Amino acid sequence: MAAARKRTLSDIEDVRDRKAKVIKDSGEKRHIAALILARGGSKGIPLKNIKVLAGVPLIGWVLRAAVDSKQFDSVWVSTDHDDIEKVAKTWGAQVHRRSPEVSKDSSSSLDTIQEFARLNPEVDVICHIQATSPCLHPFHLKEALEMITKQGFTSVFSVVRRHHFRWQEVKKGGSVATQPLNLDPCNRPRRQDWDGELCENGSFYIYTRATIERGLQGGKWAYYEMLPEYSVDIDVDIDWPVAEQRVLRFGYFGLDKPEVVRLLLCNVSGCLTDGRVLISVSGEEMVSVNTRDTMGIRMLQREGVEVILISSSEDLLTKALADNLSQRTGCEVRQLGKDIQGEVTAMMDDKDLDWKEVAYMGNDAPDVDCLNLAGLSAVPRDAPVVAINAAKYSCHSAAGLGAVREFSEHILLLKKKAKSQMEQDRIYRNTF
């Protein structure tokens, strides 16, 4: 009886696979969804999925790549945590609020993905992207998805090539000698003479609906090889500084080219200063400015980026204070009214600039619109959540304690990265 049932299930799976092939051959469009699993109860690093990595919430790196790839009919985050849900929506994702049954420590990825598929019957193909792979780029997703949509595979997963010699583990206290697993010790190959081995790097797994219903990998499967520099996986806290350096060099920073930034607008109170105004016995107002921040401003100016310091109607600077700040920083200081976005837009019109050419540093709710619109935007570490969620970069440093310098270095790093890519493209075009 059991054997008969097994054959019946196999027959059903074959029918589903053939149906998927008919849909592919007929040209009917399949609904392709990106799905990032982000449970709130990470044991290694608390709320790891929204911890800031190189100025961006960890999950933001893969969401940006998924959205900008333009390959998905929908982009989802599956979570059980309110804060993760807020960040996911900020970065353009829909939210699948997973049930308690698949939110346990013992719950598997398969349990959650199957629940998502069951609740979203319109989805035909799921691309499960790991939030812990911040060096993922849109072209990785596009090329891998084409293996499903154009080559007829039903399961595709990412791998990286490793050149590691592996040995059999011997338990502590054991007297058995270890044995080589993938080499002949008497004829150790040189790295250049050995192709290495393909290992899953955990960046993404793509499956058709029929495949998901019987497991995560199956049917006609294939691998998609990624270069080692893009294969970053964060599992423990010690990986964080290493991943941060890697993502600054190899991460995906968005569709807009950062080299076009020509203007930085920076709030005085709560960004350049810590927000406090000191008043002397004689009534004279004073603020504290960190020399690291003024040096950051001058670094931008040397690279041709204009810097304007702005002050809102809520924290009006005296003329004497504004003049002193202007003299010390070499920047124009402008007082803005309540309509910050309107006045910034007018300023941009006067300078013939688009939002993508503007970097904006704010620190509170009145800055949210400009933070969202600017090509690059940042907030200090101690900014309120409403501003952090709107910014594209969150500084490690607090206001008045190096946040402006940090954002300045970030802008210059992106400009350098973009110029390097342009030079590589030029060499490629001239060579080939």
Side-chain angles (χ1 to χ4, degrees), residues 45 58 78 94 228 286 301 343 371 415 426:
I45 307 174
L58 179 60
S78 173
Q94 300 179 66
M286 295 173 287
Q301 291 169 332
E343 293 191 44
L371 290 169
K415 287 171 69 69
R426 183 188 65 77

Side-chain angles (χ1 to χ4, degrees), residues 38-159:
R39 193 168 65 91
S42 172
K43 296 300 181 184
I45 307 174
L47 287 179
K48 170 179 65 178
N49 294 304
I50 55 173
K51 181 177 178 180
V52 173
L53 176 74
V56 173
L58 179 60
I59 199 171
W61 289 101
V62 293
L63 282 173
R64 179 157 56 193
V67 171
D68 285 358
S69 73
K70 304 187 187 304
Q71 299 298 302
F72 300 104
D73 299 291
S74 57
V75 176
W76 295 80
V77 169
S78 173
T79 188
D80 59 346
H81 199 280
D82 291 342
D83 290 342
I84 295 177
E85 178 175 351
K86 290 176 184 176
V87 173
K89 289 179 177 178
T90 298
W91 285 85
Q94 300 179 66
V95 173
H96 161 236
R97 196 70 186 210
R98 63 174 69 178
S99 67
E101 288 74 23
V102 298
S103 300
K104 305 172 185 175
D105 290 341
S106 58
S107 300
S108 67
S109 297
L110 177 60
D111 295 334
T112 309
I113 293 169
Q114 287 180 334
E115 178 187 75
F116 171 81
R118 186 173 65 254
L119 295 175
N120 296 276
E122 75 282 0
V123 174
D124 302 300
V125 177
I126 293 178
C127 179
H128 168 210
I129 303 171
Q130 300 269 43
T132 51
S133 300
C135 287
L136 183 68
H137 281 242
F139 75 86
H140 294 134
L141 298 170
K142 181 177 184 297
E143 292 173 359
L145 279 165
E146 286 178 351
M147 299 174 74
I148 296 278
T149 60
K150 295 183 179 180
Q151 299 178 38
F153 290 100
T154 59
S155 174
V156 176
F157 52 95
S158 59
V159 300

Side-chain angles (χ1 to χ4, degrees), residues 169-201:
E169 180 182 2
V170 176
K171 299 299 182 182
K172 189 174 181 180
S175 58
V176 178
T178 185
Q179 296 294 325
L181 297 178
N182 66 343
L183 80 152
D184 176 1
C186 296
N187 296 284
R188 295 174 67 92
R190 298 181 304 168
R191 182 184 179 90
Q192 59 266 38
D193 297 330
W194 182 41
D195 290 337
E197 296 180 325
L198 295 176
C199 307
E200 291 186 15
N201 69 354

Side-chain angles (χ1 to χ4, degrees), residues 144-329:
L145 279 165
E146 286 178 351
M147 299 174 74
I148 296 278
T149 60
K150 295 183 179 180
Q151 299 178 38
F153 290 100
T154 59
S155 174
V156 176
F157 52 95
S158 59
V159 300
V160 63
R161 193 173 298 274
R162 302 292 189 197
H163 292 78
H164 295 161
F165 293 136
R166 296 182 293 108
W167 291 78
Q168 183 181 9
E169 180 182 2
V170 176
K171 299 299 182 182
K172 189 174 181 180
S175 58
V176 178
T178 185
Q179 296 294 325
L181 297 178
N182 66 343
L183 80 152
D184 176 1
C186 296
N187 296 284
R188 295 174 67 92
R190 298 181 304 168
R191 182 184 179 90
Q192 59 266 38
D193 297 330
W194 182 41
D195 290 337
E197 296 180 325
L198 295 176
C199 307
E200 291 186 15
N201 69 354
S203 283
F204 58 81
Y205 301 82
I206 311 175
Y207 343 85
T208 60
R209 173 174 287 275
T211 303
I212 294 166
E213 292 177 357
R214 57 181 183 259
L216 288 183
Q217 291 164 311
K220 184 182 178 183
W221 53 25
Y223 63 80
Y224 175 84
E225 184 174 352
M226 294 174 62
L227 294 175
E229 52 263 37
Y230 298 116
S231 299
V232 178
D233 188 16
I234 300 171
D235 286 321
V236 293
D237 216 355
I238 198 170
D239 292 337
W240 210 264
V242 176
E244 195 155 64
Q245 291 302 312
R246 183 78 67 84
V247 79
L248 285 172
R249 185 173 180 185
F250 298 109
Y252 171 68
F253 289 89
L255 292 171
D256 291 331
K257 295 181 179 179
E259 80 275 8
V260 300
V261 171
R262 295 165 52 193
L263 171 67
L264 168 63
L265 297 173
C266 177
N267 270 271
V268 174
S269 181
C271 290
L272 182 63
T273 73
D274 60 7
R276 296 182 298 170
V277 176
L278 306 178
I279 304 176
S280 68
V281 175
S282 62
E284 185 180 14
E285 294 185 355
M286 295 173 287
V287 295
S288 174
V289 178
N290 195 300
T291 55
R292 285 181 294 167
D293 291 324
T294 56
M295 178 57 71
I297 289 172
R298 296 192 188 282
M299 289 164 58
L300 287 174
Q301 291 169 332
R302 284 197 294 268
E303 292 297 319
V305 179
E306 182 182 5
V307 181
I308 295 178
L309 302 177
I310 57 177
S311 178
S312 66
S313 56
E314 281 78 15
D315 47 30
L316 287 172
L317 297 174
T318 64
K319 184 178 185 306
L321 198 55
D323 289 344
N324 285 334
L325 277 175
S326 179
Q327 183 177 0
R328 176 167 288 275
T329 61

